[in-house]
Structures are given as structure tokens and as C-alpha cells.
Amino acid sequence: RLFALVAVSGLALGLWLVRSRVWAPGFQFLWWNLFLAWVPWGLSVVMQRLQRPATFALVGLAWLAFFPNAPYLLTDLIHLKARAPVPLWFDVLFLSSFAWAGCLVGWDSLSRVHDELARRWSPHSAAAIVAACVVLCGVGVFLGRFERLNSWELLTAPLDVLRTTVSSLRSPRALGFSAVFAAFVGAGYLFTRASPRSA
């Protein structure tokens, strides 16, 4: 699975390189967004190796803070539009490859956390926590896309994040987006979770 995730990410970066060399440079922010998508995956691997509950909980909170960065790449599809001389079909594949990579890395990260929670506690407790994480992911992506908040602001300005979150969730648009996005993440996770897994 790691090889597959690296391959998908490599495809996305390869398409970026082709685009920048053949037609026009740009979209450098996708490199950073893809890197941020891999951060929760790395944290999920660390969580599988921790023994102390307190350390596990702290790393788990860090994982949760960064987890929305993975499916967030899906929202970069808003940048899709005709940009001559780049063929539109190429940009469709180009942006979709980053979105695909982000979602797959995120779902694999969530699956690793799910397995570890089930091992430490119980399958029912793990499922409940994962469901809550998916809901919070929807909220996190909304805050990132529309309120322009970053994961590390949970550490640098937690009260500002809390105020912005409470204020935003009073909006029907925020609730609707968060719910639909969480449903998408949850449905994709259920599909990948049901697929045969290998390390």
C-alpha cells in the first residue's frame, strides 16, 4: 500500500512537472498541499509504534489536526478552468491526480489509526472515534478552504480557531459543506476499508 500511495503521489508530481515544462509553470502550492496530506499518514505510522497512552493521545490529537489536509486537496479542483495553451483535459487529470493522492493517503492514514484504536480499546469504540474524526474532518476542510485557517493555528492561536469555528458553524453553508464533505470522506473510507489490505 505504501508503494501504491507513493506511486499515486509521484504521478501527481509528474503531471505537474510535465505541465510546467511543456506549457506553463504554476500551481506550486500543490506541492505543499500534498506534503501536508502526508503529515497525518506519517503521524499514523508513529501512533502504531507508541506504547504510553499519554504520548499516543498527544500524537493522536496532532494527527487529527492535520488529517483534514489530506482530503483538502479535493477542494483544489476549484482552480480548474480553461488556461490556454494548457489543454483543459490535461488540467482535469492534473488536478484530479492531486485530489486522488490526497484522498487515498488520508484514507490509509485513517485506516491505520482505526486499526490501532481497535487494538487498544474495542472495535465499537474505535468505530465511534473514527466517525467523529470524519465529521471533524468535514469541518476542518471548510475552515481551511473558506476561513483560510491552517492546522498549526490550533497550537499558535487556539482561541481564535475556536471563535472562528463557532461563528462559522452558525452558517447553513458551513454546516451543509461540512456534512456533505464528511459524507464523501466517510463513504470513500468505507470503500477502501472494505478492500483487501496489505502492509
Side-chain angles (χ1 to χ4, degrees):
R1 289 177 70 88
L2 176 58
F3 175 80
L5 295 176
V6 171
V8 173
S9 298
L11 171 64
L13 296 175
L15 290 176
W16 178 90
L17 185 62
V18 170
R19 188 185 192 280
S20 64
R21 294 293 178 86
V22 175
W23 292 295
F27 290 98
Q28 286 86 350
F29 64 88
L30 289 175
W31 286 70
W32 176 246
N33 288 352
L34 184 58
F35 168 77
L36 290 177
W38 275 91
V39 170
W41 189 90
L43 291 172
S44 70
V45 173
V46 172
M47 289 172 68
Q48 292 178 314
R49 289 162 171 74
L50 296 175
Q51 299 299 324
R52 295 182 178 180
T55 307
F56 178 82
L58 286 175
V59 176
L61 289 175
W63 171 85
L64 181 58
F66 280 92
F67 174 57
N69 288 302
Y72 176 88
L73 275 159
L74 189 67
T75 69
D76 284 327
L77 288 170
I78 66 169
H79 299 292
L80 179 63
K81 65 179 182 179
R83 288 184 173 87
V86 185
L88 182 60
W89 65 262
F90 185 89
D91 272 352
V92 169
L93 294 176
F94 162 64
L95 290 171
S96 295
S97 67
F98 276 91
W100 186 31
C103 288
L104 291 178
V105 170
W107 287 326
D108 192 67
S109 164
L110 183 59
S111 187
R112 291 175 182 274
V113 172
H114 193 165
D115 287 342
E116 191 60 23
L117 290 172
R119 186 183 72 83
R120 290 172 181 254
W121 295 320
S122 71
H124 293 298
S125 297
I129 294 173
V130 165
C133 290
V134 169
V135 172
L136 291 174
C137 177
V139 175
V141 173
F142 175 85
L143 294 175
R145 172 51 66 189
F146 297 102
E147 300 295 342
R148 310 309 297 166
L149 294 180
N150 298 307
S151 297
W152 47 85
E153 289 182 81
L154 287 168
L155 291 177
T156 60
L159 292 180
D160 289 341
V161 172
L162 179 61
R163 280 193 290 267
T164 301
T165 302
V166 172
S167 175
S168 296
L169 291 180
R170 293 173 181 170
S171 162
R173 182 185 71 154
L175 291 174
F177 177 93
S178 300
V180 172
F181 203 91
F184 175 87
V185 172
Y189 175 64
L190 288 176
F191 177 79
T192 58
R193 182 74 178 176
S195 301
R197 300 187 74 246
S198 59

